[in-house]
PDB file of all heavy atoms in Angstrom:
ATOM      1  N   VAL I  24     -17.775 -39.647  38.199  1.00 95.00           N
ATOM      2  CA  VAL I  24     -17.751 -39.149  39.584  1.00 95.00           C
ATOM      3  C   VAL I  24     -18.168 -40.289  40.509  1.00 95.00           C
ATOM      4  O   VAL I  24     -18.795 -41.263  40.074  1.00 95.00           O
ATOM      5  CB  VAL I  24     -18.686 -37.937  39.813  1.00 95.00           C
ATOM      6  CG1 VAL I  24     -18.280 -36.759  38.960  1.00 95.00           C
ATOM      7  CG2 VAL I  24     -20.133 -38.301  39.537  1.00 95.00           C
ATOM      8  N   TYR I  25     -17.836 -40.158  41.783  1.00 94.00           N
ATOM      9  CA  TYR I  25     -18.264 -41.181  42.729  1.00 94.00           C
ATOM     10  C   TYR I  25     -19.649 -40.830  43.263  1.00 94.00           C
ATOM     11  O   TYR I  25     -20.032 -39.669  43.347  1.00 94.00           O
ATOM     12  CB  TYR I  25     -17.264 -41.338  43.880  1.00 94.00           C
ATOM     13  CG  TYR I  25     -16.685 -40.047  44.368  1.00 94.00           C
ATOM     14  CD1 TYR I  25     -17.450 -39.165  45.125  1.00 94.00           C
ATOM     15  CD2 TYR I  25     -15.369 -39.678  44.052  1.00 94.00           C
ATOM     16  CE1 TYR I  25     -16.926 -37.974  45.560  1.00 94.00           C
ATOM     17  CE2 TYR I  25     -14.844 -38.485  44.493  1.00 94.00           C
ATOM     18  CZ  TYR I  25     -15.624 -37.633  45.246  1.00 94.00           C
ATOM     19  OH  TYR I  25     -15.115 -36.446  45.665  1.00 94.00           O
ATOM     20  N   ARG I  26     -20.386 -41.898  43.606  1.00 94.00           N
ATOM     21  CA  ARG I  26     -21.745 -41.709  44.118  1.00 94.00           C
ATOM     22  C   ARG I  26     -21.685 -40.963  45.452  1.00 94.00           C
ATOM     23  O   ARG I  26     -22.414 -40.006  45.672  1.00 94.00           O
ATOM     24  CB  ARG I  26     -22.400 -43.084  44.307  1.00 94.00           C
ATOM     25  CG  ARG I  26     -23.888 -43.070  44.425  1.00 94.00           C
ATOM     26  CD  ARG I  26     -24.405 -44.503  44.443  1.00 94.00           C
ATOM     27  NE  ARG I  26     -23.943 -45.258  43.273  1.00 94.00           N
ATOM     28  CZ  ARG I  26     -24.700 -45.548  42.229  1.00 94.00           C
ATOM     29  NH1 ARG I  26     -25.964 -45.194  42.218  1.00 94.00           N
ATOM     30  NH2 ARG I  26     -24.212 -46.218  41.213  1.00 94.00           N
ATOM     31  N   THR I  27     -20.789 -41.395  46.326  1.00 93.00           N
ATOM     32  CA  THR I  27     -20.529 -40.693  47.586  1.00 93.00           C
ATOM     33  C   THR I  27     -19.023 -40.781  47.828  1.00 93.00           C
ATOM     34  O   THR I  27     -18.357 -41.659  47.278  1.00 93.00           O
ATOM     35  CB  THR I  27     -21.243 -41.358  48.785  1.00 93.00           C
ATOM     36  OG1 THR I  27     -20.562 -42.590  49.071  1.00 93.00           O
ATOM     37  CG2 THR I  27     -22.709 -41.633  48.496  1.00 93.00           C
ATOM     38  N   PRO I  28     -18.499 -39.875  48.670  1.00 91.00           N
ATOM     39  CA  PRO I  28     -17.052 -39.925  48.940  1.00 91.00           C
ATOM     40  C   PRO I  28     -16.618 -41.277  49.498  1.00 91.00           C
ATOM     41  O   PRO I  28     -15.446 -41.651  49.369  1.00 91.00           O
ATOM     42  CB  PRO I  28     -16.843 -38.823  49.980  1.00 91.00           C
ATOM     43  CG  PRO I  28     -17.993 -37.883  49.789  1.00 91.00           C
ATOM     44  CD  PRO I  28     -19.149 -38.727  49.333  1.00 91.00           C
ATOM     45  N   ALA I  29     -17.569 -42.024  50.070  1.00 93.00           N
ATOM     46  CA  ALA I  29     -17.211 -43.331  50.643  1.00 93.00           C
ATOM     47  C   ALA I  29     -16.641 -44.269  49.580  1.00 93.00           C
ATOM     48  O   ALA I  29     -15.913 -45.203  49.901  1.00 93.00           O
ATOM     49  CB  ALA I  29     -18.434 -43.961  51.302  1.00 93.00           C
ATOM     50  N   GLU I  30     -16.957 -44.017  48.320  1.00 95.00           N
ATOM     51  CA  GLU I  30     -16.398 -44.855  47.259  1.00 95.00           C
ATOM     52  C   GLU I  30     -14.880 -44.794  47.230  1.00 95.00           C
ATOM     53  O   GLU I  30     -14.220 -45.700  46.710  1.00 95.00           O
ATOM     54  CB  GLU I  30     -16.938 -44.420  45.887  1.00 95.00           C
ATOM     55  CG  GLU I  30     -18.176 -45.170  45.472  1.00 95.00           C
ATOM     56  CD  GLU I  30     -18.604 -44.846  44.039  1.00 95.00           C
ATOM     57  OE1 GLU I  30     -17.746 -44.570  43.180  1.00 95.00           O
ATOM     58  OE2 GLU I  30     -19.825 -44.860  43.790  1.00 95.00           O
ATOM     59  N   LEU I  31     -14.329 -43.693  47.750  1.00 95.00           N
ATOM     60  CA  LEU I  31     -12.864 -43.562  47.770  1.00 95.00           C
ATOM     61  C   LEU I  31     -12.239 -44.251  48.979  1.00 95.00           C
ATOM     62  O   LEU I  31     -11.030 -44.480  48.998  1.00 95.00           O
ATOM     63  CB  LEU I  31     -12.454 -42.085  47.775  1.00 95.00           C
ATOM     64  CG  LEU I  31     -12.759 -41.259  46.527  1.00 95.00           C
ATOM     65  CD1 LEU I  31     -12.189 -39.854  46.679  1.00 95.00           C
ATOM     66  CD2 LEU I  31     -12.191 -41.915  45.273  1.00 95.00           C
ATOM     67  N   HIS I  32     -13.059 -44.554  50.004  1.00 96.00           N
ATOM     68  CA  HIS I  32     -12.507 -45.064  51.263  1.00 96.00           C
ATOM     69  C   HIS I  32     -11.604 -46.283  51.116  1.00 96.00           C
ATOM     70  O   HIS I  32     -10.548 -46.345  51.751  1.00 96.00           O
ATOM     71  CB  HIS I  32     -13.635 -45.348  52.265  1.00 96.00           C
ATOM     72  CG  HIS I  32     -14.201 -44.086  52.835  1.00 96.00           C
ATOM     73  ND1 HIS I  32     -15.299 -44.058  53.660  1.00 96.00           N
ATOM     74  CD2 HIS I  32     -13.827 -42.792  52.697  1.00 96.00           C
ATOM     75  CE1 HIS I  32     -15.570 -42.803  53.994  1.00 96.00           C
ATOM     76  NE2 HIS I  32     -14.695 -42.028  53.415  1.00 96.00           N
ATOM     77  N   PRO I  33     -11.978 -47.247  50.274  1.00 97.00           N
ATOM     78  CA  PRO I  33     -11.105 -48.424  50.170  1.00 97.00           C
ATOM     79  C   PRO I  33      -9.696 -48.074  49.698  1.00 97.00           C
ATOM     80  O   PRO I  33      -8.773 -48.875  49.866  1.00 97.00           O
ATOM     81  CB  PRO I  33     -11.806 -49.294  49.116  1.00 97.00           C
ATOM     82  CG  PRO I  33     -13.197 -48.797  49.037  1.00 97.00           C
ATOM     83  CD  PRO I  33     -13.178 -47.368  49.443  1.00 97.00           C
ATOM     84  N   PHE I  34      -9.541 -46.899  49.116  1.00 97.00           N
ATOM     85  CA  PHE I  34      -8.246 -46.545  48.531  1.00 97.00           C
ATOM     86  C   PHE I  34      -7.483 -45.524  49.366  1.00 97.00           C
ATOM     87  O   PHE I  34      -6.492 -44.958  48.910  1.00 97.00           O
ATOM     88  CB  PHE I  34      -8.448 -46.013  47.104  1.00 97.00           C
ATOM     89  CG  PHE I  34      -9.382 -46.864  46.282  1.00 97.00           C
ATOM     90  CD1 PHE I  34     -10.617 -46.383  45.874  1.00 97.00           C
ATOM     91  CD2 PHE I  34      -9.018 -48.167  45.960  1.00 97.00           C
ATOM     92  CE1 PHE I  34     -11.482 -47.170  45.140  1.00 97.00           C
ATOM     93  CE2 PHE I  34      -9.887 -48.960  45.214  1.00 97.00           C
ATOM     94  CZ  PHE I  34     -11.129 -48.470  44.813  1.00 97.00           C
ATOM     95  N   MET I  35      -7.980 -45.275  50.580  1.00 97.00           N
ATOM     96  CA  MET I  35      -7.314 -44.286  51.441  1.00 97.00           C
ATOM     97  C   MET I  35      -7.003 -44.904  52.791  1.00 97.00           C
ATOM     98  O   MET I  35      -7.726 -45.768  53.274  1.00 97.00           O
ATOM     99  CB  MET I  35      -8.227 -43.070  51.658  1.00 97.00           C
ATOM    100  CG  MET I  35      -8.614 -42.375  50.376  1.00 97.00           C
ATOM    101  SD  MET I  35      -9.763 -41.022  50.678  1.00 97.00           S
ATOM    102  CE  MET I  35      -8.624 -39.728  51.083  1.00 97.00           C
ATOM    103  N   MET I  43     -10.507 -36.359  55.578  1.00 94.00           N
ATOM    104  CA  MET I  43     -11.511 -35.970  54.584  1.00 94.00           C
ATOM    105  C   MET I  43     -12.857 -35.725  55.261  1.00 94.00           C
ATOM    106  O   MET I  43     -13.551 -34.751  54.945  1.00 94.00           O
ATOM    107  CB  MET I  43     -11.643 -37.047  53.502  1.00 94.00           C
ATOM    108  CG  MET I  43     -12.589 -36.665  52.376  1.00 94.00           C
ATOM    109  SD  MET I  43     -12.284 -37.623  50.861  1.00 94.00           S
ATOM    110  CE  MET I  43     -13.001 -39.185  51.292  1.00 94.00           C
ATOM    111  N   ASP I  76     -30.051 -42.812  41.578  1.00 93.00           N
ATOM    112  CA  ASP I  76     -29.397 -42.569  42.852  1.00 93.00           C
ATOM    113  C   ASP I  76     -28.004 -42.029  42.541  1.00 93.00           C
ATOM    114  O   ASP I  76     -27.277 -42.619  41.748  1.00 93.00           O
ATOM    115  CB  ASP I  76     -29.339 -43.934  43.575  1.00 93.00           C
ATOM    116  CG  ASP I  76     -28.536 -43.856  44.855  1.00 93.00           C
ATOM    117  OD1 ASP I  76     -28.492 -42.769  45.438  1.00 93.00           O
ATOM    118  OD2 ASP I  76     -27.964 -44.895  45.230  1.00 93.00           O
ATOM    119  N   GLY I  77     -27.658 -40.877  43.121  1.00 93.00           N
ATOM    120  CA  GLY I  77     -26.307 -40.346  42.897  1.00 93.00           C
ATOM    121  C   GLY I  77     -26.252 -39.337  41.764  1.00 93.00           C
ATOM    122  O   GLY I  77     -27.219 -39.158  41.016  1.00 93.00           O
ATOM    123  N   PRO I  78     -25.116 -38.700  41.613  1.00 95.00           N
ATOM    124  CA  PRO I  78     -24.960 -37.645  40.600  1.00 95.00           C
ATOM    125  C   PRO I  78     -24.689 -38.209  39.202  1.00 95.00           C
ATOM    126  O   PRO I  78     -24.280 -39.360  39.054  1.00 95.00           O
ATOM    127  CB  PRO I  78     -23.754 -36.858  41.107  1.00 95.00           C
ATOM    128  CG  PRO I  78     -22.964 -37.834  41.916  1.00 95.00           C
ATOM    129  CD  PRO I  78     -23.939 -38.823  42.488  1.00 95.00           C
ATOM    130  N   GLY I  80     -22.880 -39.284  35.958  1.00 96.00           N
ATOM    131  CA  GLY I  80     -21.501 -39.747  35.799  1.00 96.00           C
ATOM    132  C   GLY I  80     -21.084 -40.737  36.867  1.00 96.00           C
ATOM    133  O   GLY I  80     -19.932 -41.160  36.889  1.00 96.00           O
ATOM    134  N   SER I  81     -22.016 -41.114  37.754  1.00 96.00           N
ATOM    135  CA  SER I  81     -21.629 -42.031  38.834  1.00 96.00           C
ATOM    136  C   SER I  81     -22.121 -43.457  38.589  1.00 96.00           C
ATOM    137  O   SER I  81     -21.793 -44.356  39.343  1.00 96.00           O
ATOM    138  CB  SER I  81     -22.181 -41.532  40.178  1.00 96.00           C
ATOM    139  OG  SER I  81     -23.595 -41.547  40.174  1.00 96.00           O
ATOM    140  N   ASP I  82     -22.902 -43.659  37.535  1.00 97.00           N
ATOM    141  CA  ASP I  82     -23.525 -44.959  37.301  1.00 97.00           C
ATOM    142  C   ASP I  82     -23.008 -45.519  35.974  1.00 97.00           C
ATOM    143  O   ASP I  82     -23.356 -45.029  34.890  1.00 97.00           O
ATOM    144  CB  ASP I  82     -25.052 -44.763  37.258  1.00 97.00           C
ATOM    145  CG  ASP I  82     -25.794 -46.069  37.070  1.00 97.00           C
ATOM    146  OD1 ASP I  82     -25.218 -47.025  36.501  1.00 97.00           O
ATOM    147  OD2 ASP I  82     -26.967 -46.132  37.475  1.00 97.00           O
ATOM    148  N   SER I 105     -13.322 -34.617  40.119  1.00 73.00           N
ATOM    149  CA  SER I 105     -13.741 -34.330  41.484  1.00 73.00           C
ATOM    150  C   SER I 105     -12.736 -34.838  42.506  1.00 73.00           C
ATOM    151  O   SER I 105     -12.276 -35.974  42.444  1.00 73.00           O
ATOM    152  CB  SER I 105     -15.109 -34.966  41.741  1.00 73.00           C
ATOM    153  OG  SER I 105     -15.115 -36.278  41.239  1.00 73.00           O
ATOM    154  N   ARG I 106     -12.407 -34.000  43.431  1.00 67.00           N
ATOM    155  CA  ARG I 106     -11.501 -34.321  44.531  1.00 67.00           C
ATOM    156  C   ARG I 106     -10.281 -35.097  44.082  1.00 67.00           C
ATOM    157  O   ARG I 106      -9.861 -36.062  44.710  1.00 67.00           O
ATOM    158  CB  ARG I 106     -12.239 -35.138  45.594  1.00 67.00           C
ATOM    159  CG  ARG I 106     -13.267 -34.306  46.291  1.00 67.00           C
ATOM    160  CD  ARG I 106     -13.496 -34.802  47.681  1.00 67.00           C
ATOM    161  NE  ARG I 106     -14.834 -34.352  48.081  1.00 67.00           N
ATOM    162  CZ  ARG I 106     -15.304 -34.462  49.297  1.00 67.00           C
ATOM    163  NH1 ARG I 106     -14.589 -35.023  50.239  1.00 67.00           N
ATOM    164  NH2 ARG I 106     -16.496 -34.018  49.586  1.00 67.00           N
ATOM    165  N   ILE I 124      -7.900 -41.482  43.853  1.00 96.00           N
ATOM    166  CA  ILE I 124      -8.760 -41.302  42.684  1.00 96.00           C
ATOM    167  C   ILE I 124      -8.223 -42.146  41.518  1.00 96.00           C
ATOM    168  O   ILE I 124      -8.995 -42.639  40.686  1.00 96.00           O
ATOM    169  CB  ILE I 124      -8.879 -39.804  42.311  1.00 96.00           C
ATOM    170  CG1 ILE I 124     -10.266 -39.492  41.733  1.00 96.00           C
ATOM    171  CG2 ILE I 124      -7.853 -39.378  41.302  1.00 96.00           C
ATOM    172  CD1 ILE I 124     -11.269 -39.077  42.712  1.00 96.00           C
ATOM    173  N   TRP I 127      -9.325 -45.673  42.250  1.00 97.00           N
ATOM    174  CA  TRP I 127     -10.775 -45.728  42.025  1.00 97.00           C
ATOM    175  C   TRP I 127     -11.106 -45.783  40.531  1.00 97.00           C
ATOM    176  O   TRP I 127     -11.968 -46.553  40.104  1.00 97.00           O
ATOM    177  CB  TRP I 127     -11.411 -44.496  42.694  1.00 97.00           C
ATOM    178  CG  TRP I 127     -12.837 -44.223  42.367  1.00 97.00           C
ATOM    179  CD1 TRP I 127     -13.945 -44.808  42.907  1.00 97.00           C
ATOM    180  CD2 TRP I 127     -13.326 -43.251  41.416  1.00 97.00           C
ATOM    181  NE1 TRP I 127     -15.084 -44.270  42.365  1.00 97.00           N
ATOM    182  CE2 TRP I 127     -14.734 -43.309  41.451  1.00 97.00           C
ATOM    183  CE3 TRP I 127     -12.710 -42.327  40.560  1.00 97.00           C
ATOM    184  CZ2 TRP I 127     -15.530 -42.482  40.652  1.00 97.00           C
ATOM    185  CZ3 TRP I 127     -13.498 -41.509  39.767  1.00 97.00           C
ATOM    186  CH2 TRP I 127     -14.885 -41.603  39.820  1.00 97.00           C
ATOM    187  N   CYS I 131     -13.087 -49.110  39.716  1.00 97.00           N
ATOM    188  CA  CYS I 131     -14.523 -48.885  39.523  1.00 97.00           C
ATOM    189  C   CYS I 131     -14.904 -48.580  38.082  1.00 97.00           C
ATOM    190  O   CYS I 131     -16.087 -48.562  37.757  1.00 97.00           O
ATOM    191  CB  CYS I 131     -15.005 -47.766  40.436  1.00 97.00           C
ATOM    192  SG  CYS I 131     -14.760 -48.143  42.176  1.00 97.00           S
TER     193      CYS I 131
END
Side-chain angles (χ1 to χ4, degrees):
Chain I
V24 298
Y25 39 73
R26 198 173 305 256
T27 72
E30 268 187 32
L31 293 184
H32 286 174
F34 314 113
M35 301 177 84
M43 184 159 76
D76 173 28
S81 64
D82 182 334
S105 45
R106 291 208 203 189
I124 213 91
W127 169 81
C131 299

